[in-house]
Amino acid sequence: MITHAEHHRWLLGIGMGWLGWTEQQTLQTTMASIIAAYKGRVDMFRALFGPSNRDAQQPRWKPATAANVKAILGRFG
C-alpha cells in the first residue's frame, strides 16, 4: 500500500514530467483530471508510435471459467 504522500509525489511527477505542466498548474488540477490527462497522453503516444514491447509482454487474462480456475488452482498442488 502506498501512502498519500507517495501518491501525491507520483501525481506531481505525472503533471510536471509527462504532461509538462508547472507545479502550480498541477497542484490546481484534480487528481482525476491528472490521471485522465496522463492516460490521454499515453494513448496519444501509442497512436503515434504503436504499442511498445512492454504492451506485448503484458499477459492477457482468460475469462474466469470453472476450467480455468481449476487449472490455476491445480498448479498449487
Side-chain angles (χ1 to χ4, degrees):
M1 179 184 271
I2 66 168
T3 66
H4 287 283
E6 290 168 334
H7 186 68
H8 188 259
R9 279 192 295 275
W10 178 76
L11 288 172
L12 277 173
I14 296 298
M16 295 167 57
W18 277 84
L19 302 173
W21 296 346
T22 66
E23 183 176 9
Q24 183 177 358
Q25 289 171 314
T26 304
L27 291 173
Q28 291 176 349
T29 304
T30 65
M31 290 182 195
S33 295
I34 293 170
I35 293 169
Y38 168 73
K39 288 180 179 179
R41 177 63 57 104
V42 170
D43 289 344
M44 179 189 72
F45 284 135
R46 284 187 181 132
L48 291 171
F49 303 112
S52 70
N53 291 337
R54 184 177 176 186
D55 289 338
Q57 294 171 357
Q58 296 295 323
R60 299 292 178 231
W61 297 101
K62 295 181 181 178
T65 62
N68 289 341
V69 172
K70 202 173 193 179
I72 291 169
L73 294 176
R75 294 179 193 165
F76 298 106

